[in-house]
Amino acid sequence: MKKIGFLSFGHWSDSPHSGARTASDTLLQSIDLAVAAEELGVDGAYFRVHHFARQLASPFPLLAAIGARTDRIEIGTGVIDMRYENPMYMAEDAGAADLISGGRLQLGVSRGSPEQVIDGWRYFGYRPDEGDTDADMARKHTEVLLTVLEGEGFAQPNPRPMFPNPPGLLRVEPHSPGLRDRIWWGAGSNATAVWAAEKGLHLMSSTLKNDEGGAPFHVQQAEQIRAYRKAWSEAGWRREPRVSVSRSIFALTTDLDRAYFGRDGDSTDKIGYIDADTKAIFGRSYAAEPDVLVEQLAGDEAIAEADTLLLTVPNQLGVDYNTHVLDSILTHVAPALGWR
């Protein structure tokens, strides 16, 4: 059995060919897709976070809205760029969204990816400490968030407060018990996957990672997952770790599917650079008739290693079409692979 969710990048464009022409379209359609996905039996609704782009950015209003409209589906991010985040304020927002959803939040956080602007986090008021990199800053912000989410008091109370205080040091409110154990780290390398395990974070591995050895993408990703699980065991955590991988997968069951994605059947891994010094491998897409798709996916080592699969959806094609995409995977692919 495998949890199956969707991951939306939340694009919008004023192109006449886009089903999401404005930010409002994207936000409201994201809520509707999560509701439809829950009705299908999908396990998770996840959203990417990008700044300075015509894509979803501030996630917590959206997650809270989905939490209020749904009952069962996990809701989360994949991922929040921690270079931009005030961890105290984030803990408040996350706690509120988690309480609204009844404890269904699964927050993916990370150092983030190359951005639309140079050092965009500087415009948000952040800069690395002397001698640190922006990646160091992201990890430090994350460590503060994790500490705050533990729920222990740390702030000295005012002796003459506006309202009565409970005894002792005060914590950030609202506090949602258990949320600390539902934070995931989006790891781009084997080393950061190990770091995530040591910190007690679940692992998110996307459709790209640092090229570490030249093997096919799914093989490298499976090696990353195994390194993470080994580090988790060595760290002595008593709870079970979770691991998600993301994939673009389309079952071609209609003429419209073939028109949109029929040419993706020959997709292969690609090598590129995400910055001047980092060579990355980008995983292939899968698009084929269901029987062919089942055979292809059965050979994906990383999917086999993961407990959660996030299906990237083309959100600009609209709620109805993306509901069909998810339904096709649940109906024609998942049972044959033992995922359902």
Side-chain angles (χ1 to χ4, degrees):
M1 299 292 289
K2 203 175 292 290
K3 287 184 179 290
I4 299 175
F6 73 81
L7 173 62
S8 173
F9 280 52
H11 295 277
W12 71 86
S13 168
D14 57 8
S15 164
H17 304 292
S18 174
R21 304 284 295 276
T22 67
S24 176
D25 289 343
T26 296
L27 288 162
L28 295 175
Q29 289 177 22
S30 295
I31 297 168
D32 290 343
L33 181 58
V35 171
E38 180 174 77
E39 292 172 352
L40 288 176
V42 172
D43 299 299
Y46 288 77
F47 301 91
R48 189 70 168 90
V49 177
H50 280 289
H51 301 287
F52 299 104
R54 291 186 174 186
Q55 293 176 248
L56 293 171
S58 55
F60 293 107
L62 174 62
L63 297 175
I66 293 172
R69 287 278 307 276
T70 57
D71 298 307
R72 178 195 57 81
I73 197 168
E74 293 180 344
I75 52 177
T77 52
V79 292
I80 297 173
D81 188 333
M82 291 302 292
R83 295 175 295 180
Y84 286 77
E85 293 296 321
N86 177 325
M88 298 290 183
Y89 196 19
M90 183 177 176
E92 291 182 344
D93 282 349
D98 195 44
L99 292 169
I100 289 170
S101 71
R104 289 182 282 132
L105 214 57
Q106 302 283 341
L107 280 186
V109 302
S110 188
R111 171 230 180 247
S113 59
E115 294 296 296
Q116 300 298 108
V117 300
I118 298 171
D119 296 345
W121 29 269
R122 293 183 184 272
Y123 296 98
F124 279 57
Y126 303 112
R127 62 180 63 241
D129 293 333
E130 186 70 29
D132 281 353
T133 67
D134 61 324
D136 294 329
M137 179 174 66
R139 285 188 284 271
K140 286 182 176 180
H141 286 184
T142 302
E143 289 171 339
V144 173
L145 174 69
L146 296 177
T147 299
V148 173
L149 290 179
E150 294 283 359
E152 298 297 324
F154 59 89
Q156 189 68 38
N158 186 342
R160 293 181 294 278
M162 180 178 295
F163 306 105
N165 281 323
L169 299 177
L170 302 183
R171 66 187 183 187
V172 164
E173 300 286 359
H175 171 68
S176 185
L179 179 56
R180 163 61 179 86
D181 294 341
R182 286 179 273 117
I183 309 299
W184 304 57
W185 183 261
S189 68
N190 292 357
T192 52
V194 169
W195 178 85
E198 292 169 349
K199 296 296 179 182
L201 298 164
H202 302 299
L203 176 65
M204 279 187 168
S205 195
S206 73
T207 52
L208 70 89
K209 69 177 297 294
N210 293 7
D211 186 15
E212 299 176 272
F217 172 79
H218 72 99
V219 175
Q220 291 197 44
Q221 193 174 47
E223 292 170 351
Q224 180 193 49
I225 294 169
R226 287 190 285 270
Y228 166 80
R229 292 192 186 280
K230 180 174 182 290
W232 182 281
S233 177
E234 290 173 349
W237 296 104
R238 296 183 179 179
R239 51 194 168 86
E240 285 297 313
R242 288 184 60 184
V243 175
S244 73
V245 296
S246 304
R247 292 290 186 273
S248 296
I249 303 173
F250 301 97
L252 306 182
T253 64
T254 69
D255 289 340
L256 188 57
D257 296 332
R258 297 180 189 95
Y260 281 142
F261 302 108
R263 289 173 293 180
D264 293 343
D266 296 326
S267 174
T268 59
D269 294 345
K270 294 179 175 60
I271 299 293
Y273 284 84
I274 57 175
D275 58 41
D277 303 313
T278 307
K279 183 180 178 183
I281 183 167
F282 299 78
R284 58 164 295 183
S285 298
Y286 292 92
E289 303 294 327
D291 57 337
V292 176
L293 203 54
V294 167
E295 183 178 353
Q296 292 173 342
L297 293 170
D300 190 308
E301 291 185 21
I303 293 179
E305 289 280 351
D307 60 80
T308 301
L309 173 63
L310 299 182
L311 303 170
T312 59
V313 294
N315 75 281
Q316 287 180 282
L317 295 182
V319 174
D320 289 345
Y321 184 73
N322 281 294
T323 302
H324 158 74
V325 167
L326 296 172
D327 187 39
S328 293
I329 298 298
L330 293 181
T331 302
H332 301 293
V333 177
L337 287 163
W339 300 346
R340 281 291 188 271

